[in-house]
């Protein structure tokens, strides 16, 4: 906690020095204790210079998804007002779920540097190498019916694709409903989990995994990362801050009921529309032409028989 307070001091004096005296006064600790905290921060990767007359100056921070780094000048209305950053968790979705059950407000974000049991849909695994990707979950409490919640997956994927485009210029596309692809390979996946009764959503956990600075050898078959596609590292902190901003924007649009706008934007970035696809769902497999995404976020398939099929969730495989 004291380390966070020291970092906030540095952030407020971004280009200047903070004197040891000022810090010891503000934090109520001795100047030797201030020095010890500086050593600890250095061990964590912060580059801090000390001048006998001027005090301490923060030169650079490690690219770690910490609460202090993410919240600094984060200009959002709901998403990320509160952030819990962990070094290691089983799954950020599980951690967020527990926090939601304990009554935490919507907008709370949980991040982790590493997940020991990162999850995909249907019990599948999400590969989460330490310190390379972004693994985060957001608590949402929208006043909607359970069937209206699938739109959350759509706007989360849209937020990820927009963030990749804005931060890196890479041509990210969305594979309905929950994958984001670059050059036909999966760079991100979304796991949306509901806590609901028949006619009421209590809360939703939107879990997002993105491969950012992940090297090829750490990725599963069919996966890619921003690093692999761009051949250079990006700041994970800057990336996640922009993602939180985009999530905040699309969540506001969703809450205002402007679902058609989300669907339209989603369709513009679709990797599957107008293509021949196979969709696997509920132990069934159907194939056809991906015709449309309707106003509720369902995929409309034109089957070979000429009939249309409306699919609410599933795994899409692009066919040649
Ligand atoms: C997903 O499931 O794509 C949802 C992934 C959600 C992960 C986030 S991380 C933060 C939060 N906490 C969690 O525990 N989960 C969420 P699905 O559509 O079922 O895809 C899973 C499949 O993607 C796996 O079976 C692999 O084939 C592939 N996969 C696993 N890890 C991957 C990775 N890092 N990059 C690309 N593909 C991956």
């Amino acid at each position: 906690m004291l380390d966070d307070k020291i970092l906030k001091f540095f952030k407020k004096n971004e280009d200047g020095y903070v004197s040891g005296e000022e810090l010891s006064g503000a934090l109520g600790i001795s100047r030797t204790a201030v020095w010890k905290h500086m050593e600890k921060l250095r061990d964590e990767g912060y580059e801090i210079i000390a001048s006998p007359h001027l005090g301490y100056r923060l030169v650079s921070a490690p690219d770690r998804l910490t609460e202090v780094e993410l919240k600094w000048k984060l200009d959002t209305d709901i998403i990320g007002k509160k952030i819990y950053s962990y070094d290691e968790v089983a799954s950020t979705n599980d951690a967020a779920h527990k926090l939601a059950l304990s009554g935490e407000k919507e907008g709370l974000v949980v991040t982790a540097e590493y997940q020991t049991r990162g999850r995909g849909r249907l019990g599948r695994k999400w590969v989460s190498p330490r310190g390379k990707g972004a693994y985060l979950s957001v608590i949402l409490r929208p006043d909607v019916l359970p069937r209206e919640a699938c739109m959350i997956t759509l706007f989360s994927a849209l937020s990820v694709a927009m963030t990749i485009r804005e931060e890196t210029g890479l041509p990210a596309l969305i594979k309905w409903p929950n994958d984001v692809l670059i050059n036909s390979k999966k760079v991100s996946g979304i796991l949306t989990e509901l806590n609901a009764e028949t006619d009421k959503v209590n809360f939703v956990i939107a879990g997002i995994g993105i491969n950012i600075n992940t090297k090829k050898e750490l990725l599963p078959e069919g996966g890619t990362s921003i690093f692999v596609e761009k051949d250079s590292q990006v700041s994970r902190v800057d990336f996640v801050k922009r993602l939180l901003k985009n999530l905040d924007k699309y969540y506001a649009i969703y809450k205002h009921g402007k679902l058609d706008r989300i669907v339209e934007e989603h369709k513009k970035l679709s990797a599957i529309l107008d293509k021949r696809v196979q969709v696997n769902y509920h132990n069934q497999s159907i194939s056809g032409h991906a015709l449309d995404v309707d106003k509720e976020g369902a995929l409309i398939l034109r089957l070979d028989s000429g009939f249309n099929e409306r699919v609410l969730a599933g795994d899409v495989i692009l066919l040649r």
Side-chain angles (χ1 to χ4, degrees):
M1 273 328 273
L2 273 176
D3 293 347
D4 285 358
K5 283 190 183 151
I6 293 173
L7 288 171
K8 278 181 193 149
F9 252 90
F10 277 133
K11 297 258 173 206
K12 276 190 211 138
N13 294 276
E14 221 155 2
D15 299 316
Y17 280 87
V18 184
S19 77
E21 198 177 334
E22 195 183 344
L23 281 170
S24 82
L27 303 175
I29 55 174
S30 71
R31 289 182 64 169
T32 317
V34 170
W35 177 80
K36 278 192 185 145
H37 278 284
M38 293 301 165
E39 286 301 297
K40 188 164 159 255
L41 286 170
R42 282 187 180 123
D43 285 346
E44 285 172 21
Y46 287 88
E47 198 184 333
I48 296 165
I49 50 174
S51 148
H53 301 299
L54 300 167
Y56 299 97
R57 191 160 86 86
L58 178 63
V59 180
S60 69
D63 190 25
R64 209 174 307 131
L65 303 177
T66 61
E67 185 206 337
V68 179
E69 295 299 331
L70 292 174
K71 279 191 83 173
W72 181 245
K73 292 190 180 165
L74 179 70
D75 173 25
T76 54
D77 289 328
I78 297 178
I79 311 295
K81 284 282 167 205
K82 197 164 178 185
I83 299 178
Y84 285 134
S85 296
Y86 298 104
D87 182 53
E88 179 175 320
V89 290
S91 149
T92 55
N93 263 38
D94 296 347
H97 188 265
K98 260 192 216 139
L99 289 161
L101 286 178
S102 75
E104 287 285 358
K105 281 205 235 153
E106 73 167 351
L108 182 132
V109 173
V110 174
T111 69
E113 290 293 298
Y114 177 58
Q115 298 188 114
T116 52
R117 268 179 286 127
R119 293 188 286 114
R121 294 175 301 159
L122 307 170
R124 290 184 289 228
K125 188 179 166 193
W126 182 259
V127 176
S128 317
R130 180 181 288 281
K132 299 294 177 198
Y135 320 116
L136 60 118
S137 301
V138 187
I139 299 176
L140 301 172
R141 297 185 183 274
D143 187 11
V144 295
L145 296 170
R147 68 178 162 80
E148 293 166 322
C150 66
M151 201 57 94
I152 291 173
T153 307
L154 256 63
F155 81 68
S156 300
L158 178 59
S159 302
V160 172
M162 290 305 288
T163 304
I164 294 175
R165 286 172 171 258
E166 290 164 1
E167 277 289 305
T168 71
L170 290 166
L173 294 175
I174 305 163
K175 181 157 79 74
W176 182 95
N178 72 315
D179 288 357
V180 179
L181 312 179
I182 304 177
N183 296 326
S184 308
K185 296 207 187 89
K186 182 161 172 170
V187 68
S188 170
I190 320 282
L191 174 67
T192 310
E193 295 182 302
L194 292 194
N195 181 299
E197 289 149 44
T198 331
D199 54 357
K200 185 176 167 277
V201 170
N202 299 321
F203 61 83
V204 179
I205 306 297
I208 303 176
I210 310 159
N211 305 318
I212 301 185
N213 291 327
T214 325
K215 297 217 172 87
K216 198 169 188 306
E217 10 346 330
L218 296 176
L219 291 165
E221 175 93 22
T224 192
S225 71
I226 288 170
F227 174 74
V228 168
E229 297 298 326
K230 206 174 141 65
D231 208 16
S232 63
Q233 305 244 347
V234 298
S235 156
R236 292 192 304 139
V237 169
D238 291 349
F239 186 93
V240 171
K241 281 173 87 161
R242 195 188 282 264
L243 174 63
L244 298 181
K245 185 83 186 143
N246 277 326
L247 284 167
D248 198 59
K249 170 178 137 189
Y250 286 109
Y251 188 47
I253 294 171
Y254 173 73
K255 289 242 268 195
H256 283 109
K258 294 186 200 143
L259 305 188
D260 44 345
R261 175 155 168 213
I262 291 171
V263 171
E264 279 319 305
E265 289 198 33
H266 177 103
K267 276 160 62 173
K268 275 191 205 147
L269 295 186
S270 173
I272 65 163
L273 282 186
D274 239 11
K275 302 231 162 73
R276 214 180 139 66
V277 297
Q278 178 183 323
V279 186
N280 301 331
Y281 66 107
H282 300 314
N283 298 324
Q284 287 191 55
S285 178
I286 52 172
S287 44
H289 186 79
L291 205 58
D292 201 5
V293 175
D294 73 11
K295 60 181 190 319
E296 281 170 357
L299 177 66
I300 311 296
L301 268 193
R302 169 68 50 88
L303 305 179
D304 296 339
S305 60
F307 285 104
N308 287 353
E309 179 92 28
R310 188 170 179 271
V311 191
L312 279 168
D315 286 312
V316 176
I317 299 164
L318 274 158
L319 301 173
R320 293 274 154 211

